[in-house]
Amino acid sequence: MIGLTLEGGGAKGAYQIGAWKAFREKGIQFDGVAGTSVGALNGAMILQDDFDLAWETWYNIEPSRVLSIDDEINELITDWKLDQKNVGILIEEIRKIVKNSGVDTSPLYDLVQRMICEDKIRRSPKDFGFVTYSLTDMEPLELFKEDVPQGKLADYLMASSYLPIFKDRKFDGKRFLDGSFYNNLPINMLLRKQYPKIYAVRLYGRGRILKIDPGDTEIIYICPERELGRVLNFSTEQSRRNLQLGYLDTLKVLDHLDGKHYYIYGAPTDEEALEALLRWSGEIQRKICAILDLDHQKTLNRIFMEEAIPQMIDVFELPKESSHKDLLLTLIEAIAKSYELESLKQYSFQEWAQKIKNAQVECKVKRDHYNKAAYLIKASESLMKIGKEKKRHEIVTLLKNDKQWLDSFFRR
């Protein structure tokens, strides 16, 4: 048996339907699904096997289809586009929301009622569970479909997604709170049913996640490498981006694709990567050593191998155990990003390499430009961090502008 667990995360949920597309392409079917909040709603669609409906819903989502907030106001809130001119508009809208005792979720409720087919779910032999919290009884509820009163499944799924800012609404005579306040990734529900293999699709939404003891169960995580937007950002553009990210991130796990920002298959082995690094010309090796403040007057190849490569792993903030392949792909990804090469698609390594060469010839960006987005300073603006950023910039610019090195490497 194979299970699927879907984390809660509001508007980020499009990512999970993108993941489902990849699972379907690879012929992976699930015997049980458990989710919280938007993960519960998506899980219901998966159990119903209504892929086209789920995809269309997320592909064409708009804020007005989910919440009764003016689209312009929603954009201000989700993208934090606040300035002196529009802050007054936002304050007035907040006053209206408070006066009406919360955000009206009628559009979302209507959407859930239209999408969920209770008969399909109940007839399915597959397990389906979700989490909510009963404010009336002050207790968390981990429910399977058989625990839900007949005719109330859509209501209870809505209850799993009910945030405190929403207008007060009772379901089955009780008040509920979003399940993320108790357990936002209910892997434990499938563990109790002794699933030997579980895929867990993360959204990194806000909420509590209970600790688990997987025992002999194999748990495979699908995790976004990039920000999926804010919880209430139901913009069409963000949703379509998240669909593609979920699809590609899942393929990365299933097909063992390489890359952090890109999706690469057919990448060099670690041995081939080391050979490529050592094929750098003596001039490049000396310049790299100089950037890293190493004594490049010593035996060049040896100092490059023993000192420069480990230092580059540190400068690019890779884990200490990173391989030569990891370093090489990181360097090439930085060059590709500087040329703004499209990242939300799969590339063969040779195709990727050729596109970088083409970009170099076409000179799409200034030669001294370096897109720092992949390696932003994450915490403090310490001198050490700034020094690493400067070295990253210099190394990438050096390699990017050396056609001889690129030609030598891409002959493989």
Side-chain angles (χ1 to χ4, degrees):
M1 296 194 304
I2 301 177
L4 174 66
T5 307
L6 303 173
E7 184 177 0
K12 303 180 184 187
Y15 184 87
Q16 295 169 343
I17 301 304
W20 185 23
K21 178 183 177 182
F23 286 130
R24 284 165 56 91
E25 285 186 5
K26 295 299 174 182
I28 297 174
Q29 298 185 359
F30 301 103
D31 302 289
V33 184
T36 298
S37 191
V38 73
L41 297 175
N42 284 334
M45 300 302 295
I46 291 172
L47 207 78
Q48 293 174 190
D49 200 26
D50 280 336
F51 175 78
D52 290 340
L53 176 60
W55 185 272
E56 186 278 332
T57 299
W58 281 107
Y59 191 80
N60 295 311
I61 199 77
E62 294 176 346
S64 59
R65 294 181 68 182
V66 182
L67 304 172
S68 286
I69 299 178
D70 183 88
D71 284 355
E72 182 182 355
I73 300 301
N74 186 271
E75 185 179 0
L76 295 179
I77 295 172
T78 56
D79 294 337
W80 294 100
K81 294 180 179 177
L82 301 180
D83 55 31
Q84 192 172 4
K85 180 180 178 182
N86 59 36
V87 71
I89 301 172
L90 183 59
I91 289 172
E92 182 59 30
E93 187 68 19
I94 291 172
R95 282 176 182 160
K96 291 179 185 176
I97 292 170
V98 172
K99 185 178 179 181
N100 293 325
S101 303
V103 176
D104 184 9
T105 58
S106 296
L108 176 59
Y109 184 72
D110 293 342
L111 183 65
V112 171
Q113 291 285 343
R114 290 196 305 272
M115 292 176 66
I116 301 304
C117 179
E118 182 167 342
D119 286 344
K120 266 189 184 181
I121 293 173
R122 290 196 183 275
R123 286 199 308 266
S124 171
K126 299 179 179 182
D127 294 314
F128 177 54
F130 57 93
V131 182
T132 185
Y133 190 94
S134 172
L135 284 173
T136 301
D137 301 321
M138 295 300 291
E139 66 174 358
L141 299 174
E142 293 183 328
L143 304 171
F144 283 96
K145 61 184 181 181
E146 56 268 25
D147 302 321
V148 178
Q150 190 73 34
K152 299 290 185 178
L153 188 57
D155 281 357
Y156 273 79
L157 287 172
M158 186 69 185
S160 179
S161 309
Y162 225 71
L163 294 172
I165 64 168
F166 293 164
K167 182 179 286 189
D168 190 33
R169 180 194 288 265
K170 289 185 177 181
F171 301 98
D172 203 21
K174 296 183 179 183
R175 295 170 59 239
F176 291 90
L177 187 62
D178 192 290
S180 65
F181 287 86
Y182 175 67
N183 187 8
N184 208 26
L185 188 68
I187 297 174
N188 60 313
M189 295 184 71
L190 297 182
L191 287 176
R192 287 203 297 268
K193 289 186 174 284
Q194 300 182 328
Y195 276 74
K197 186 175 185 177
I198 299 172
Y199 288 92
V201 182
R202 300 294 315 270
L203 296 179
Y204 297 127
R206 292 182 179 179
R208 179 188 182 199
I209 295 179
L210 296 183
K211 291 183 179 180
I212 58 169
D213 178 8
D216 295 329
T217 298
E218 179 187 8
I219 300 178
I220 302 168
Y221 290 92
I222 309 293
C223 303
E225 293 279 356
R226 295 179 238 196
E227 178 57 48
L228 299 178
R230 299 184 184 278
V231 171
L232 293 180
N233 184 4
F234 288 96
S235 70
T236 306
E237 180 183 4
Q238 184 67 50
S239 184
R240 291 178 181 180
R241 179 178 180 272
N242 288 347
L243 283 168
Q244 184 69 354
L245 281 172
Y247 172 69
L248 290 170
D249 284 348
T250 305
L251 285 182
K252 179 178 282 189
V253 172
L254 299 180
D255 289 345
H256 306 289
L257 302 182
D258 285 299
K260 185 175 179 67
H261 189 75
Y262 291 86
Y263 301 86
I264 308 301
Y265 59 91
T269 64
D270 194 51
E271 242 179 44
E272 291 171 329
L274 177 58
E275 289 175 7
L277 290 168
L278 295 179
R279 277 207 304 271
W280 289 359
S281 68
E283 180 183 1
I284 289 182
Q285 290 190 20
R286 277 190 292 273
K287 287 180 178 178
I288 293 287
C289 289
I291 290 170
L292 297 173
D293 302 317
L294 297 175
D295 183 1
H296 52 282
Q297 302 303 322
K298 298 179 183 178
T299 305
L300 188 57
N301 212 261
R302 181 173 177 179
I303 193 173
F304 187 77
M305 173 82 171
E306 296 178 358
E307 297 185 46
I309 290 177
Q311 277 211 31
M312 281 193 287
I313 287 174
D314 176 64
V315 162
F316 281 88
E317 298 186 342
L318 297 172
K320 288 183 179 179
E321 65 275 12
S322 295
S323 65
H324 300 110
K325 174 182 175 179
D326 294 331
L327 175 60
L328 188 61
L329 287 174
T330 296
L331 293 169
I332 300 175
E333 281 198 293
I335 294 171
K337 285 197 72 176
S338 76
Y339 285 120
E340 299 180 355
L341 192 65
E342 182 184 354
S343 62
L344 295 187
K345 59 177 291 188
Q346 294 180 76
Y347 293 96
S348 71
F349 184 80
Q350 291 299 332
E351 177 191 8
W352 191 45
Q354 188 59 52
K355 284 188 176 293
I356 294 171
K357 286 181 65 178
N358 293 344
Q360 184 187 42
V361 172
E362 293 168 12
C363 295
K364 290 183 177 178
V365 293
K366 294 180 180 178
R367 296 182 73 77
D368 63 348
H369 173 71
Y370 171 42
N371 186 340
K372 300 178 183 180
Y375 309 106
L376 285 175
I377 298 171
K378 298 173 185 175
S380 65
E381 290 290 323
S382 67
L383 291 176
M384 182 178 294
K385 290 284 186 182
I386 293 172
K388 283 186 178 182
E389 175 62 29
K390 181 175 182 291
K391 288 175 181 178
R392 290 196 290 267
H393 173 96
E394 291 176 355
I395 290 171
V396 171
T397 302
L398 171 66
L399 297 177
K400 174 182 161 184
N401 294 335
D402 190 281
K403 189 172 184 302
Q404 183 180 2
W405 169 75
L406 287 173
D407 285 342
S408 172
F409 175 69
F410 292 140
R411 281 203 305 268
R412 65 176 289 274

